[in-house]
Amino acid sequence: MAQLYFRYSTMNAGKSTEILKIAHNYEEQNKRVMLCTPALDDRFGRGLITSRMGFQREALILDNHVDVVERVRQQQPDCVLVDEGQFLTRTQVISLARVVDEVGVPVIVYGLKNDFRNRLFPGSESLLLFADKIEEVKTVCWYCPKKATMLIRMRDGRPVSQGAQVEIGGNDKYVSVCRRCYAQRLPLE
């Protein structure tokens, strides 16, 4: 039975690598996958899912003009894989739920749960509400051996607590940390 999965973590947990691995496994069995990424994610180029390990695949850009339900009906993939789910809109998440419910195709979405201020991203909030299964992808704190659950945005080597929710970046701008290490550097609000 098809389900909508939301697999979340902080940065540097291997989410994009996992999507590319799943796609490879499906295709190795002669099954079709549809790879998708939100239009906002352009760090490595528009329409690309790229892992920090250097693996890369083209993906359908999900913007306000793409009818993902119709695309799935036309292309008939065995699975839909979505990277950077935190950048999805509520409407897009509902469309992915319709892919599961109306077309019967499983959808696996990977993304961040919370931003550097420990607020939910709109896409993540919608995924937490609509997903059939919610799974955490674990990674380790930048500063200690505990599990990372939060992000710190860095500017000129210093933690910052103000700014726009979305600022595309990687290790140059963010570190994944546990709650204790976050609180040692920034106040919990």
Side-chain angles (χ1 to χ4, degrees), residues 50-187:
T50 305
S51 76
R52 285 186 176 81
M53 294 173 61
F55 302 113
Q56 187 175 74
R57 292 276 304 267
E58 289 187 16
L60 172 67
I61 299 171
L62 297 179
D63 60 23
N64 294 332
H65 306 294
V66 172
D67 182 343
V68 72
V69 177
E70 188 55 35
R71 288 282 183 108
V72 170
R73 284 190 173 118
Q74 290 171 0
Q75 295 180 13
Q76 299 181 334
D78 294 293
C79 183
V80 175
L81 301 168
V82 183
D83 200 16
E84 304 294 352
Q86 70 272 10
F87 298 141
L88 296 171
T89 65
R90 181 181 176 95
T91 301
Q92 289 169 327
V93 171
I94 291 169
S95 291
L96 293 171
R98 288 182 52 220
V99 166
V100 171
D101 297 341
E102 296 173 19
V103 189
V105 173
V107 176
I108 306 172
V109 181
Y110 282 81
L112 301 173
K113 183 181 65 164
N114 44 293
D115 66 15
F116 73 105
R117 297 169 300 175
N118 289 310
R119 305 282 193 275
L120 291 174
F121 283 97
S124 303
E125 179 182 22
S126 296
L127 286 160
L128 289 168
L129 291 170
F130 292 103
D132 298 300
K133 294 220 170 154
I134 301 166
E135 301 166 345
E136 182 180 25
V137 179
K138 295 178 176 79
T139 193
V140 179
C141 177
W142 189 264
Y143 301 108
C144 80
K146 293 176 90 174
K147 178 179 78 170
T149 59
M150 299 180 175
L151 289 172
I152 295 178
R153 182 182 287 170
M154 305 295 281
R155 188 161 291 121
D156 299 322
R158 297 181 118 69
V160 295
S161 59
Q162 300 297 315
Q165 182 178 45
V166 175
E167 187 174 311
I168 304 295
N171 293 343
D172 58 324
K173 293 185 182 176
Y174 296 96
V175 292
S176 298
V177 297
C178 68
R179 183 181 59 240
R180 183 177 60 93
C181 288
Y182 185 96
Q184 288 174 348
R185 288 155 181 84
L186 293 166

Side-chain angles (χ1 to χ4, degrees), residues 18-36:
E18 189 69 21
I19 284 178
L20 298 174
K21 181 180 90 172
I22 292 168
H24 172 78
N25 290 343
Y26 266 85
E27 291 166 345
E28 196 170 52
Q29 299 172 18
N30 294 316
K31 295 178 181 171
R32 296 174 313 278
V33 295
M34 179 183 284
L35 294 164
C36 304

